[in-house]
């Protein structure tokens, strides 16, 4: 098990390989479709110091607002990452993001972006949203809540021992591609 704490250096990321198990600590920034489109098209300068050497999490959380005004997460499961494929490589490069958390993996363009910038794709367990929410220790801030709504806002959270697996690395390795290739080979063998 590898423990990482944000901010993360490129050197730390380049040491990771597909299959490595990671416990992530520190700040993480949530972003989904609207946020990625916004980052690619608008390139807001105010986001650069928030995202540099950090991790983006593809997640539309279930959030509770308490009477005193603070927020807590009820569920924090990953959303399907492939929807961000048109944006992700550009976002990684522009903002120097070191990791992307989601489920299902991403495509060739993102893989190339991971290699170029020195970043990894980290798989979170789908269907475990309430358990993952227990690893969210606090909501630090939220940006664009009024503009995007709760599921699409930029939630900045602090996590502790958030369990992940590297499924795409900065060297071109992809567990998703490997599984697809082996499945196709097995299907062909069964049909022969």
């Amino acid at each position: 098990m590898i423990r990482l704490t944000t901010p993360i250096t490129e050197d730390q990321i380049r040491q990771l390989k597909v299959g490595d198990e990671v416990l992530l600590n520190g700040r993480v920034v949530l972003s989904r479709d609207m946020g990625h489109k916004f980052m690619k098209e608008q390139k807001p300068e105010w986001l650069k110091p928030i995202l540099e050497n950090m991790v983006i999490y593809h997640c539309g959380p279930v959030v509770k607002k308490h009477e005193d005004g603070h927020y807590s997460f009820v569920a924090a499961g990953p959303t399907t990452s492939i929807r961000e494929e048109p944006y992700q490589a550009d976002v990684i490069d522009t903002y120097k993001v070191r990791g992307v958390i989601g489920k299902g993996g991403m495509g060739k363009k993102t893989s190339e972006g991971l290699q170029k910038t020195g970043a990894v794709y980290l798989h979170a367990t789908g269907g475990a949203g309430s358990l993952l929410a227990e690893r969210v220790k606090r909501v630090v801030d939220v940006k664009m809540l009024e503009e995007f709504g709760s599921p699409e806002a930029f939630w900045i959270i602090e996590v502790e021992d958030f369990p992940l697996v590297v499924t795409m690395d900065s060297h071109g390795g992809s567990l998703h591609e490997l599984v697809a290739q082996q499945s196709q080979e097995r299907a062909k063998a069964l049909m022969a």
Side-chain angles (χ1 to χ4, degrees):
M1 192 67 69
I2 299 166
R3 288 184 181 274
L4 289 176
T5 301
T6 60
I8 304 170
T9 67
E10 181 178 350
D11 287 341
Q12 288 175 293
I13 290 300
R14 297 273 184 203
Q15 292 175 32
L16 297 174
K17 303 279 190 262
V18 166
D20 285 345
E21 295 178 30
V22 172
L23 290 176
L24 184 65
N25 295 280
R27 290 190 179 181
V28 173
V29 180
L30 278 61
S31 180
R32 292 185 7 152
D33 305 9
M34 291 174 74
H36 279 71
K37 186 176 192 298
F38 175 74
M39 286 186 281
K40 182 175 179 182
E41 293 177 357
Q42 304 296 319
K43 294 186 180 19
E45 287 296 319
W46 59 266
L47 259 173
K48 287 184 178 180
I50 294 171
L51 290 174
E52 185 176 359
N53 295 320
M54 299 302 275
V55 174
I56 289 177
Y57 185 16
H58 298 158
C59 173
V62 177
V63 182
K64 178 180 180 181
K65 186 172 185 179
H66 298 269
E67 288 182 18
D68 65 2
H70 87 277
Y71 296 98
S72 63
F73 277 26
V74 176
T79 191
T80 304
S81 296
I82 197 65
R83 294 191 321 256
E84 312 316 334
E85 182 67 13
Y87 315 110
Q88 198 66 73
D90 294 321
V91 167
I92 289 167
D93 185 47
T94 300
Y95 298 95
K96 302 304 177 228
V97 171
R98 296 294 168 209
V100 177
I101 303 170
K103 69 176 180 183
M106 301 197 74
K108 183 175 172 55
K109 184 178 176 187
T110 296
S111 179
E112 291 168 356
L114 297 174
Q115 293 170 66
K116 175 184 173 191
T117 305
V120 292
Y121 180 84
L122 299 153
H123 192 88
T125 303
S130 61
L131 291 173
L132 291 173
E134 292 175 9
R135 302 297 182 152
V136 177
K137 295 306 166 190
R138 72 183 182 107
V139 174
V140 176
D141 200 359
V142 60
K143 307 283 189 194
M144 308 291 288
L145 180 60
E146 294 296 319
E147 297 86 346
F148 292 168
S150 182
E152 296 282 343
F154 292 103
W155 292 94
I156 302 166
I157 60 173
E158 190 173 296
V159 299
E160 184 178 298
D161 290 343
F162 201 87
L164 303 161
V165 176
V166 176
T167 58
M168 296 173 71
D169 64 30
S170 63
H171 310 286
S174 172
L175 184 61
H176 308 281
E177 284 184 19
L178 179 62
V179 168
Q181 177 187 3
Q182 289 175 344
S183 297
Q184 289 173 357
E185 289 170 3
R186 181 74 176 133
K188 284 180 186 176
L190 290 171
M191 300 225 194

